[in-house]
Amino acid sequence: MDKDKIPVTMETDTPVRLRKHLGLVNGVGIIVGIIIGSGIFVSPKGVIMESGSVGACILVWGLCGLFCMIGALSYAELGTCIPSSGADYVYLQESLGDFSAFLHLWVTLMVIAPAENAIIALTFASYMIQPFFPDCGAPKNAVALVAALCICLLTYINCRNVKWAIQVQDTFTCTKVVALVVIIVVGMVKIAMGYTDNFYQPFEGTTTDPGKISLAFYSGLFSYSGWTCLNNVTEEMKDPHKNLPRAIFMSIPIVTVIYILTNVAYFAVLTPAEIIASDAVAVTFADRTLNVMSWTMSALVALSTFGSLNGIIFTLSRTYFVGARNGHLPGFLATIKLENMTPLPSLLLGSLIAMLWLCSSDVITLINYASFADAVFKSLVVVGLIVLRVTRPNMKRPIKVNLIFHVLFLILCAFLIVTPLLTNPMECFMGVVMITTGIPVYLIGVKWKRKPEWFNVALKSCSNFVQKLFTAVHEEPQND
């Protein structure tokens, strides 16, 4: 997988590189748009079910936002001192070496991200076609087909024009915020009218079981997932040293406030038991409050997932691109289409793997396994940051966060990792197995340098074919 052995087959007179399309507003749109996906609309019941009370539930939502904010301090420092796209993968490679970086790349690109994309696409499809089947569930094949069409459409938009993808992201971010504002306003009106029964003795019934508390945080953090996404596209940001941390520090508080107010609104209309019984809390909320207009909430949930999927496709492709550029994936994935400077081969491969996951009947279970692995790698990223403080003390750091915040984030991660080990060891074991499957791939694909000549010839031929097919070339080194 050594891209240096793969020739560039196209010539160009101008430097070929990813363009800097993203300003501060676009950065905020990407983070908010990816974080606010289907989670807050569809299943916040996990938090109330595990926390045991209304007050504890709302507290967990706020603490999840605080947890992400503390982690964001670490990622802001890393994103400004290592201004390369690829996020966790690049940071691990810089601090802990190729092996840990490759394992993260393997789990993320082959399992976590494509499976999440498949789930989001299936959620979009379910809400889009459910109105056509009012008296029964939509056929599974129809849902899968619409989900595949959704992935194809967004992939085409991202391949055709980066500015289109950014406009889609900004537009649908506004749409999903409007949906949540509708819920919040209706909920506040209900509270003003005296619907406050669920807020009396708010902490009655709060669980003291550490296992349940950790599961409540897992449910909440799932709805916050994506807060590191902007670090995947650092190279495409204008003035990333300023705009990256600003976008992060603006986005997470916005999402946290919106999530807390949304949950308060839910409890103004629905009891905890009703929320636990509902598989689509926002739709149940709309049925109670919007009457004949309740169908609009289904449409808004579908649009929300559409925007989230667009943002993930956009950022994920850049991780494939950087992984190939660093020699950990086939070199043709590190090529850029000349017409519009998009990493087209990476976009297509990521979407193809996501569509393959649509065929799986056990995607959600795999995501649960992978969540443990993701928490492990987030911890390793911050450990790597501390290692860089020791091994490279003179490294340029536009933002240098107090070490206390990094240690605090590691302590919080340790709680989320160790507690499930004690309460549900099988899921953790499967997460470890998922990570170790990348070891033989690393040894054969990356570590083994003296590959047979036929293998190198086949890889070169494949690269040449892909580059000619998509009119794509390797980027010029970036010295700015």
Side-chain angles (χ1 to χ4, degrees), residues 254-269:
I254 289 172
V255 172
T256 303
V257 171
I258 289 176
Y259 275 8
I260 291 174
L261 292 177
T262 300
N263 277 274
V264 170
Y266 285 153
F267 287 119
V269 175

Side-chain angles (χ1 to χ4, degrees), residues 144-222:
L145 179 60
V146 173
L149 290 173
C150 174
I151 292 174
C152 289
L153 173 61
L154 287 173
T155 302
Y156 170 76
I157 290 172
N158 277 269
C159 290
R160 186 69 180 85
N161 194 311
V162 175
K163 290 184 179 180
W164 290 3
I166 295 170
Q167 289 169 357
V168 167
Q169 191 64 27
D170 292 344
T171 301
F172 283 91
T173 296
C174 294
T175 301
K176 64 185 65 181
V177 171
V178 167
L180 291 174
V181 168
V182 169
I183 293 174
I184 291 169
V185 170
V186 172
M188 295 304 109
V189 170
K190 290 291 185 179
I191 290 174
M193 294 170 61
Y195 290 80
T196 57
D197 291 349
N198 291 327
F199 300 105
Y200 290 122
Q201 297 181 323
F203 290 95
E204 183 178 358
T206 300
T207 183
T208 56
D209 183 349
K212 287 185 174 294
I213 294 173
S214 67
L215 290 175
F217 274 95
Y218 270 140
S219 296
L221 289 172
F222 175 78

Side-chain angles (χ1 to χ4, degrees), residues 316-368:
L316 178 63
S317 63
R318 275 59 179 177
T319 306
Y320 281 96
F321 178 86
V322 175
R325 187 174 65 187
N326 292 351
H328 286 166
L329 292 174
F332 65 82
L333 292 173
T335 58
I336 306 171
K337 186 171 177 60
L338 280 173
E339 179 184 352
N340 52 26
M341 303 301 154
T342 59
L344 191 145
S346 292
L347 281 162
L348 294 179
L349 180 63
S351 297
L352 176 62
I353 296 175
M355 284 193 286
L356 290 175
W357 276 103
L358 293 175
C359 303
S360 174
S361 60
D362 206 18
V363 173
I364 294 178
T365 300
L366 284 171
I367 284 292
N368 290 335

Side-chain angles (χ1 to χ4, degrees), residues 59-227:
L59 182 61
V60 167
W61 281 103
L63 291 175
C64 284
L66 180 61
F67 172 85
C68 294
M69 196 66 202
I70 294 171
L73 294 171
S74 300
Y75 275 79
E77 178 174 328
L78 284 166
T80 52
C81 69
I82 307 175
S84 172
S85 297
D88 293 8
Y89 161 70
V90 173
Y91 307 150
L92 286 170
Q93 188 176 37
E94 284 280 339
S95 59
L96 301 181
D98 279 357
F99 182 63
S100 60
F102 180 85
L103 291 182
H104 174 270
L105 192 69
W106 171 259
V107 173
T108 299
L109 300 187
M110 300 305 295
V111 181
I112 298 176
E116 285 181 344
N117 281 0
I119 289 175
I120 294 172
L122 289 169
T123 303
F124 166 83
S126 297
Y127 279 86
M128 281 298 293
I129 67 176
Q130 187 58 51
F132 298 100
F133 300 91
D135 300 323
C136 62
K140 290 185 178 180
N141 289 339
V143 172
L145 179 60
V146 173
L149 290 173
C150 174
I151 292 174
C152 289
L153 173 61
L154 287 173
T155 302
Y156 170 76
I157 290 172
N158 277 269
C159 290
R160 186 69 180 85
N161 194 311
V162 175
K163 290 184 179 180
W164 290 3
I166 295 170
Q167 289 169 357
V168 167
Q169 191 64 27
D170 292 344
T171 301
F172 283 91
T173 296
C174 294
T175 301
K176 64 185 65 181
V177 171
V178 167
L180 291 174
V181 168
V182 169
I183 293 174
I184 291 169
V185 170
V186 172
M188 295 304 109
V189 170
K190 290 291 185 179
I191 290 174
M193 294 170 61
Y195 290 80
T196 57
D197 291 349
N198 291 327
F199 300 105
Y200 290 122
Q201 297 181 323
F203 290 95
E204 183 178 358
T206 300
T207 183
T208 56
D209 183 349
K212 287 185 174 294
I213 294 173
S214 67
L215 290 175
F217 274 95
Y218 270 140
S219 296
L221 289 172
F222 175 78
S223 292
Y224 280 93
S225 61
W227 56 273

